[in-house]
Amino acid sequence: MTAPTDIKKGLAGVVVDTTAISKVNPETNSLLYRGYPVQELAATQPFEAVAHLLWHGELPTADELADLRREERAHRALAPRVRAAIDLLPLDTHPMDEVRTAVSVIGAIETAGIDSVLEVGGSPADNLARSIRLFAALPAIVAYGQRRRRGLEPIEPRDDLDYAANFLWMTFGEEADPVVVDAFNRSMILYAEHSFNASTFTARVVTSTLSDLHSAVVAAIGALKGPLHGGANEAVQHTLDEIGDASRVGAWLDDALAQKRKIMGFGHRVYKRGDSRVPTMQAALDTLVAHYDRPDVAELTHALEAEFVARKGIYPNLDFPSGPAYALIGFDTLTFTPLFVASRVTGWTAHILEQAASNALIRPLSAYDGPAERHVEGYVPDAAAL
Ligand code: SDX
């Protein structure tokens, strides 16, 4: 049995399985998706091609990309029953709860009629098709959530726009400038996959019981929502809004650190000298700052990063530049983590497919530190309590 000294809290530093999907390398501060450096993919590929790479292990041929685009565009529209489910929720429901609910409804509808738990796992072909349909459906769900909160009707998708441009079209109702589309596409690629992070490992745990893909994605959404994980990009914007401008960074940090607050968007369980994705996302943010002529955003983010790194030696993670980038594009702060879901659903489903193929139940051990064995006859309840 595991002695208490063997315990690795949070599984920090523990290698629990292999994966061929991505390699996070803190020593070289690098990230490879199926062997390709993520910064090369972000600079050259449409997100659809990277989704194909994560699912199939190779970048698509022209025909394969055309096939994926056809399938994705055929499933972009907000399904009436999904819209009806979202409309049942209070208008001030957190968007991550809307997205979690929508995916659950999609799963229930897609797998209706399967009447044996032995069949819920689905074949690799079923699950790849389900993955593409979720990949296609999430932009409409996220876009509708923001528009509903603003009292606006949903916007129909456009088949003449690629994934990133159509996502922005459905959210804002106008064709985005190519500079904005490119920055958004890069963010989708950077958020897509990151080995056994908390939400991905959650999806793998659910899949390891031979449960279904949608249950695994719903569980992953729940894990991503937390501010120590995906919720951090929303929390970064709350922090920047709270500070206000660069001149107030020092005083704000004095107060936050005195309260032992975690500064959102900084630190990482694996990267300890900076997140490999930050330079690429920072460059995208810089492009947006210039495009929207918002030097104040650059001044504030640079001041907070410089001050916190100087004080604690803890570096920004991907969520730090992503938050202000999404704010500049016009997304509501509460929409930020659902954007992470729309991207990470490709990584999650690639891991679901990989875990299902390995067919190994994930069930770690625990070291008991509760009361020694005792017996009920010793239990005499206080008569008054009954
Ligand atoms: C993501 O795993 C992934 O790959 C995740 C992700 C992905 O793509 O899936 O990269 C996405 O989740 C990025 C992380 C987003 N979260 C945040 O930005 C929240 C703020 N960050 C911290 O909560 C923290 O950095 C973690 C949780 C991300 C990582 O923490 P670790 O590795 O468990 O390190 P730790 O909490 O043990 O910190 C070590 C020390 C502690 O000080 P002491 O208690 O030892 O004195 O550093 C301090 C921490 O308090 N610290 C921070 C801090 N991060 C670490 N102090 C203040 N602010 C921070 N952000």
Side-chain angles (χ1 to χ4, degrees):
M1 187 55 83
T2 306
T5 51
D6 299 344
I7 292 173
K8 299 282 188 295
K9 271 216 181 288
L11 294 180
V14 174
V15 179
V16 294
D17 204 342
T18 61
T19 180
I21 301 169
S22 70
K23 179 177 183 180
V24 178
N25 191 334
E27 284 70 41
T28 56
N29 203 359
S30 62
L31 170 60
L32 305 177
Y33 287 179
R34 301 282 193 182
Y36 290 100
V38 70
Q39 63 272 22
E40 291 180 18
L41 296 169
T44 61
Q45 301 301 315
F47 185 35
E48 299 93 316
V50 174
H52 183 283
L53 172 67
L54 294 173
W55 287 322
H56 298 283
E58 297 295 339
L59 283 167
T61 62
D63 287 347
E64 288 166 336
L65 182 57
D67 290 345
L68 175 56
R69 280 182 153 151
R70 195 167 24 259
E71 182 68 4
E72 184 258 331
R73 294 175 193 208
H75 293 92
R76 282 176 168 174
L78 182 65
R81 282 192 282 192
V82 173
R83 178 179 177 178
I86 294 172
D87 288 346
L88 287 174
L89 301 174
L91 209 49
D92 58 354
T93 298
H94 192 290
M96 284 295 278
D97 295 353
E98 285 174 356
V99 171
R100 191 188 63 219
T101 303
V103 170
S104 187
V105 168
I106 290 171
I109 292 168
E110 286 210 4
T111 58
I114 295 177
D115 52 12
S116 162
V117 72
L118 295 173
E119 294 160 26
V120 297
S123 69
D126 289 345
N127 283 330
L128 177 60
R130 289 168 179 158
S131 303
I132 296 170
R133 288 196 292 270
L134 271 185
F135 169 64
L138 278 163
I141 292 162
V142 176
Y144 178 53
Q146 173 156 313
R147 294 184 67 81
R148 182 172 88 110
R149 274 188 307 285
R150 294 183 178 194
L152 301 171
E153 283 299 308
I155 289 178
E156 289 303 311
R158 280 182 44 182
D159 287 350
D160 60 323
L161 298 176
D162 73 8
Y163 174 95
N166 177 65
F167 202 148
L168 298 169
W169 161 258
M170 286 194 290
T171 306
F172 302 109
E174 58 190 37
E175 272 194 49
D177 184 289
V179 164
V180 177
V181 174
D182 179 63
F184 184 63
N185 183 67
R186 289 172 189 245
S187 79
M188 289 286 114
I189 291 171
L190 293 169
Y191 265 130
E193 159 62 15
H194 212 236
S195 76
F196 282 13
N197 59 84
S199 55
T200 297
F201 191 62
T202 299
R204 290 189 76 120
V205 170
V206 172
T207 303
S208 79
T209 71
L210 300 187
S211 185
D212 63 286
L213 178 138
H214 294 93
S215 295
V217 173
V218 166
I221 292 170
L224 190 76
K225 179 179 176 184
L228 294 191
H229 188 17
N233 64 3
E234 173 196 322
V236 163
Q237 194 56 42
H238 292 317
T239 296
L240 297 175
D241 294 344
E242 192 180 315
I243 297 172
D245 69 65
S247 66
R248 299 181 56 232
V249 163
W252 184 88
L253 265 180
D254 290 343
D255 186 51
L257 295 178
Q259 295 175 46
K260 296 206 176 302
R261 283 172 64 178
K262 298 280 193 195
I263 312 305
M264 296 290 118
F266 288 88
H268 199 277
R269 171 60 59 81
V270 179
Y271 296 119
K272 292 306 179 188
R273 294 195 312 278
D275 183 326
S276 67
R277 301 162 293 183
V278 165
T280 304
M281 192 62 220
Q282 183 61 52
L285 173 58
D286 294 344
T287 305
L288 293 169
V289 163
H291 177 75
Y292 291 105
D293 190 22
R294 289 293 305 277
D296 59 304
V297 171
E299 285 155 20
L300 174 54
T301 52
H302 293 162
L304 178 56
E305 177 179 345
E307 185 69 25
F308 188 58
V309 169
R311 291 193 195 195
K312 299 280 283 186
I314 298 170
Y315 294 88
N317 55 55
L318 175 58
D319 295 313
F320 186 63
S322 298
Y326 289 150
L328 284 173
I329 293 174
F331 290 108
D332 294 343
T333 301
L334 290 180
T335 304
F336 291 8
T337 312
L339 294 174
F340 197 155
V341 172
S343 164
R344 187 56 61 91
V345 74
T346 56
W348 288 334
T349 49
H351 280 273
I352 289 167
L353 291 165
E354 186 178 68
Q355 180 68 40
S358 78
N359 200 359
L361 178 67
I362 297 173
R363 198 280 187 215
L365 295 177
S366 57
Y368 176 70
D369 66 357
E373 185 172 348
R374 51 185 169 166
H375 299 282
V376 174
E377 72 269 16
Y379 166 59
V380 181
D382 173 349
L386 292 181

